[in-house]
Amino acid sequence: MRLYGVVGWKNAGKTGLMERLVEEITGRGFTVSTIKHAHHSFDVDHPGKDSHRHRVAGAREVLLASRNRWALMHELSAEDEPPLSHLLTKLEPVDLVLIEGYKRDGHPKVEAHRGETGNPLIADATVKAIASDTLSKADRPVFHLDDTAAIAEFILAEVGL
């Protein structure tokens, strides 16, 4: 499976860039799936809903299905967070998987960077390009954070699509 990541510190513009890249790349006829890493506990379920009640009652997995979509929730309980490689096995085959976060994993990435945050660049060996609203030069390709078409073109070339 072809993978490419979007990383950056908090408020760097990662999610907006991911959203624009998915739209741009699927608009070119490619299939795309995404994985988003969260550093905190999150809930896609709502108290009082049937699926939430099943989960709270102790179900290890709850699959919620309708004619429009299905979602599988898996409770980890005391288990460790699964590695990215394990989560990738849960996805159907697509042309490209875009990954938001997982900055310490070894897949290639573009780093989102906003100057106003004052954060330093991550720019480790896995960061192949930088998308920034302020930088114009670096030791790797730099794109304007809003130049989605150019960033998408770079990623597609990198993964051979």
Side-chain angles (χ1 to χ4, degrees), residues 42-99:
F42 67 92
D43 206 340
V44 295
D45 222 353
H46 302 286
K49 295 292 185 181
D50 293 350
S51 55
H52 184 267
R53 291 170 61 191
H54 296 187
R55 195 166 49 88
V56 170
R60 181 165 177 89
E61 291 189 323
V62 177
L63 195 144
L64 181 60
S66 74
R67 67 184 195 111
N68 296 323
R69 71 190 53 87
W70 65 269
L72 176 64
M73 291 172 280
H74 179 96
E75 284 297 305
L76 292 174
S77 301
E79 298 172 48
D80 290 337
E81 179 179 340
L84 178 60
S85 58
H86 174 73
L87 297 174
L88 289 167
T89 68
K90 305 295 184 188
L91 296 177
E92 297 275 327
V94 292
D95 295 318
L96 177 64
V97 177
L98 290 174
I99 302 163

Side-chain angles (χ1 to χ4, degrees), residues 97-115:
V97 177
L98 290 174
I99 302 163
E100 183 178 342
Y102 290 94
K103 64 179 155 276
R104 290 176 183 83
D105 282 64
H107 59 279
K109 304 165 188 83
V110 62
E111 179 175 351
H113 176 266
R114 280 207 174 106

Side-chain angles (χ1 to χ4, degrees), residues 25-37:
I25 294 170
T26 58
R28 295 180 186 204
F30 296 105
T31 56
V32 176
S33 289
T34 65
I35 293 180
K36 159 88 171 103
H37 187 256

